[in-house]
Amino acid sequence: MYITGVDRRRELEQTVAGLLASAVDGRIRSTKETQSVDFKEEAGRRSGRGEIDPGLSKNPAAAVALGDEVACMANSPGGGALVYGVEDGTGEIIGTELDVDWLRDTIFAKVGVAPDIQIETVEGHRLLAVYVAEAREPVEDTGGRIRWRVGDACSPVDRSEWWEHRERASHADPMAAPSHRTMDDVRAGAMEVIRSYPGTGDGTDEELLRRLGALRSDGALTQAGALLVAPMDRIIIEFTEFDVPGGSVTNRAAPRAETSLLEQLAETERVVAAVNTSITIERGIRHEALRRIPELSVREALLNGVVHRDWNRSEPTEVRWFEADSMLVVSSPGGFPGEVTASNILSNREARYPALADLFRALGLVDKQGVGVDRMYREMITIGHRPPEIVEAAGTRVECTLVGGRPVYPVMECVRAITPAERQKDYRIAIILYELMHASFVTTARVQQALQSSAEAARVAIEAARQSTVESEALIVKHKKAWLLGGSARRRLASAYDGDSAFPIVSYLTTDIGNQSAAALDWVDTFSAITTGDLQALTGTARGTAKRTLDALVDDDQLATAGSGRSSRYERP
């Protein structure tokens, strides 16, 4: 059985290091290529006379050629490594100036694989060590071919043969494979962290790790288990504090490289807790201290940054704190796993490494559903903050941004008044409430988009919100084909309006003609026409105020009147 997971990566790194160490007088002396390691010079650098042209940071021809080699390695059992910038026949060190992030993103765009690319300096020349993990599905190169390594070269393979190999493979998830680590490698600090979690139970360290699924019956730690409790030998999480985005670095912190993943995660949580200070809210005689970003949201962001990162990439998960904005950004190597995208992350539950996710689940750190993104949404929204922004960023990384600050007490009061009490913890209710804090109405289609769900799931969520109450009044009420905030919810949230805020809450409930006009045009663009009564219902203003707003939009040529009497309405001209 070939080696998989973290052990496989270490083996490749050691092999590459040994090859590079053989360099003498501008040549790599150990140039024997294998099924796992290949040398490549940068395509497009040689002139017709064989001379080497100066290197550039971007070379499309090189990206295509290297992308084809990456696809071949990804199809091969155990993946492999490419040493880029070395002539494969002679071992001559040519070097390369290609930008790593540009190269990785370009390869990903062409073949769907984002390799880990490390810069190596050999005898003053810049080389790239490109590490490629074994793919879970066949990878086509830029010519639509499926190839894998046979000996020291890439050879065509048909899909049936590829899948037959996959079926014969012992472990579909590399994190479930055995590692070379045993109980002798388990760090005492890691076990202290595990035992600090509630519900882990009693027993010896060995019994506990077996119960969690980190230790196999043959005495070997799984790859996932080795990550969690054995020395990492590198920094997995780096913390940097800035004063403002693009500003000065005010603090850096990194765990010790010899600690385990669990220890590094716990240390990072402590560092973030120190900067994510509490704000005390005073309401009469009542004083309440709340973190600028909810602790649960911070933990979920950090967990996602390590559980779902690409563990075949060597760079650390980056944690950045921006003091002036009370903003946390967690950036993890690798794109979204599987079919997950920024537009379905709330509803699509897929783990890149199911065995690793299950181990965190056994520790009680992630929920049964998987990623915990819904909990981040709920925790942020219910104290008046914006939902998390989770996107795929340049360099094929996933970035989660949480923007906190002073909690908005009227929002908290409104949520705490919702009955039945269970709905206060329902992320669907939180998202519907958020939508109605920033728009005068929602529709089934809007709720479907906000929840990233099906239309039926959106209708169920709306019904749950309709059956919830605030001070005995429905949380949402129907108006024609739309849903509005109920009366008690409006009254509680009205005091949260801040005209100076970049994201004002329930701005449509003010008599400001600009805010009322925005609500009116939103309705017209959704339902084709609006009446004075519609605008009254949307904004809670008197009939005269609503009519003046609509007439002003007519004078401004944004609306035109249609019909007469009871059927009079306003439409787009």
Side-chain angles (χ1 to χ4, degrees):
M1 182 187 72
Y2 56 85
I3 306 172
T4 59
V6 178
D7 285 342
R8 171 60 170 169
R9 173 55 184 266
R10 288 197 180 104
E11 179 189 71
L12 288 172
E13 289 176 342
Q14 291 168 1
T15 300
V16 169
L19 293 171
L20 298 183
S22 72
V24 177
D25 296 331
R27 292 183 185 277
I28 302 292
R29 299 302 177 181
S30 298
T31 58
K32 181 174 174 56
E33 296 174 341
T34 68
Q35 184 166 325
S36 299
V37 180
D38 196 5
F39 293 94
K40 291 295 175 186
E41 71 172 76
E42 182 181 336
R45 288 273 304 279
R46 288 191 184 271
S47 66
R49 292 175 296 179
E51 298 173 343
I52 303 296
D53 293 329
L56 302 174
S57 61
K58 297 180 181 180
N59 178 349
V64 170
L66 185 55
D68 288 343
E69 298 300 324
V70 166
C72 174
M73 279 293 189
N75 285 322
S76 304
L82 295 153
V83 179
Y84 204 57
V86 177
E87 202 279 319
D88 58 352
T90 65
E92 179 187 359
I93 301 174
I94 296 170
T96 178
E97 296 300 318
L98 291 176
D99 179 79
V100 168
D101 287 339
W102 173 84
L103 183 60
R104 182 190 298 117
D105 287 348
T106 304
I107 291 172
F108 180 72
K110 292 184 179 298
V111 299
V113 176
D116 185 27
I117 305 176
Q118 298 297 306
I119 298 173
E120 303 284 354
T121 302
V122 179
E123 294 196 335
H125 294 276
R126 180 179 182 270
L127 304 179
L128 297 179
V130 183
Y131 295 97
V132 186
E134 179 180 353
R136 293 187 176 185
E137 298 177 358
V139 178
E140 294 182 354
D141 64 17
T142 58
R145 302 167 298 176
I146 298 176
R147 300 182 303 154
W148 63 10
R149 298 279 289 181
V150 176
D152 60 357
C154 289
S155 298
V157 60
D158 59 40
R159 273 186 162 80
S160 61
E161 186 178 359
W162 194 98
W163 282 110
E164 285 174 10
H165 153 72
R166 169 58 66 185
E167 186 178 357
R168 291 192 301 268
S170 299
H171 300 281
D173 181 0
M175 287 294 178
S179 72
H180 290 157
R181 303 294 185 98
T182 67
M183 286 299 301
D184 293 337
D185 299 295
V186 175
R187 284 182 53 83
M191 296 310 301
E192 288 178 12
V193 174
I194 289 178
R195 293 188 185 279
S196 71
Y197 300 139
T200 50
D202 300 322
T204 66
D205 289 351
E206 183 173 346
E207 290 170 341
L208 178 52
L209 291 177
R210 288 191 191 280
R211 189 161 62 246
L212 293 172
L215 183 66
R216 292 162 44 95
S217 59
D218 59 7
L221 290 167
T222 66
Q223 296 285 346
L227 276 180
L228 261 65
V229 300
M232 287 300 306
D233 301 326
R234 61 188 172 102
I235 295 171
I236 297 300
I237 312 175
E238 282 188 344
F239 172 86
T240 308
E241 181 181 0
F242 299 84
D243 49 3
V244 295
S248 301
V249 174
T250 57
N251 185 28
R252 287 187 187 275
R256 290 176 295 125
E258 66 270 21
T259 56
S260 64
L261 173 58
L262 280 182
E263 291 170 281
Q264 294 195 27
L265 181 61
E267 177 62 23
T268 304
E269 284 191 284
R270 286 191 289 270
V271 172
V272 174
V275 296
N276 183 28
T277 54
S278 296
I279 295 176
T280 300
I281 300 174
E282 301 180 13
R283 302 292 286 188
I285 63 171
R286 182 178 179 181
H287 290 196
E288 186 171 2
L290 296 169
R291 297 277 186 177
R292 287 191 272 173
I293 297 178
E295 290 177 281
L296 182 57
S297 294
V298 171
R299 168 165 279 195
E300 292 292 351
L302 293 177
L303 286 171
N304 275 284
V306 295
V307 175
H308 300 294
R309 60 164 284 164
D310 185 349
W311 281 98
N312 293 297
R313 298 265 293 273
S314 59
E315 63 264 44
T317 295
E318 297 176 357
V319 180
R320 301 190 293 274
W321 175 265
F322 301 90
E323 175 63 23
D325 297 324
S326 300
M327 181 167 70
L328 182 74
V329 179
V330 179
S331 177
S332 56
F336 287 115
E339 300 300 317
V340 177
T341 66
S343 59
N344 70 9
I345 196 167
L346 261 173
S347 55
N348 193 317
R349 311 302 179 107
E350 184 171 352
R352 192 190 308 274
Y353 305 107
L356 181 62
D358 184 66
L359 184 47
F360 273 91
R361 190 176 303 121
L363 288 168
L365 297 181
V366 300
D367 60 23
K368 187 176 180 179
Q369 300 303 316
V371 295
V373 174
D374 49 5
R375 291 193 290 193
M376 280 197 284
Y377 269 70
R378 182 195 69 209
E379 293 294 306
M380 295 294 286
I381 290 171
T382 54
I383 62 172
H385 298 329
R386 282 172 277 167
E389 180 185 52
I390 305 174
V391 299
E392 197 166 278
T396 321
R397 302 178 69 88
V398 172
E399 285 193 353
C400 174
T401 301
L402 303 175
V403 181
R406 186 172 186 82
V408 183
Y409 201 79
V411 175
M412 295 167 56
E413 283 187 316
C414 183
V415 172
R416 290 170 177 175
I418 293 174
T419 58
E422 309 88 75
R423 294 300 183 197
Q424 297 173 19
K425 298 180 180 180
D426 189 330
Y427 82 97
R428 302 171 305 166
I429 301 299
I431 289 175
I432 291 174
L433 183 62
Y434 179 82
E435 293 295 309
L436 287 171
M437 286 193 291
H438 299 281
S440 59
F441 67 94
V442 295
T443 61
T444 300
R446 288 189 180 186
V447 172
Q448 178 183 353
Q449 182 177 19
L451 293 177
Q452 302 177 356
S453 68
S454 65
E456 180 58 28
R459 285 190 286 269
V460 171
I462 289 171
E463 184 61 18
R466 184 192 68 80
Q467 293 179 18
S468 302
T469 63
V470 175
E471 294 179 346
S472 301
E473 291 188 60
L475 176 62
I476 62 172
V477 294
K478 193 169 188 179
H479 177 74
K480 295 185 175 177
K481 294 182 179 181
W483 294 90
L484 322 179
L485 274 178
S488 290
R490 284 190 173 199
R491 288 189 292 273
R492 284 182 174 271
L493 292 172
S495 61
Y497 175 71
D498 180 0
D500 295 328
S501 172
F503 297 92
I505 293 173
V506 294
S507 59
Y508 57 85
L509 295 181
T510 69
T511 56
D512 177 80
I513 191 169
N515 292 334
Q516 293 222 342
S517 296
L521 294 174
D522 187 18
W523 182 275
V524 171
D525 290 340
T526 305
F527 297 110
S528 300
I530 189 170
T531 66
T532 304
D534 291 333
L535 190 54
Q536 282 184 265
L538 294 177
T539 62
T541 52
R543 179 178 178 81
T545 302
K547 190 173 188 310
R548 281 194 296 274
T549 297
L550 294 172
D551 288 341
L553 288 169
V554 172
D555 293 340
D556 199 33
D557 294 329
Q558 295 193 65
L559 292 180
T561 56
S564 60
R566 290 181 177 274
S567 62
S568 63
R569 60 195 182 277
Y570 297 80
E571 302 174 343
R572 286 287 191 181

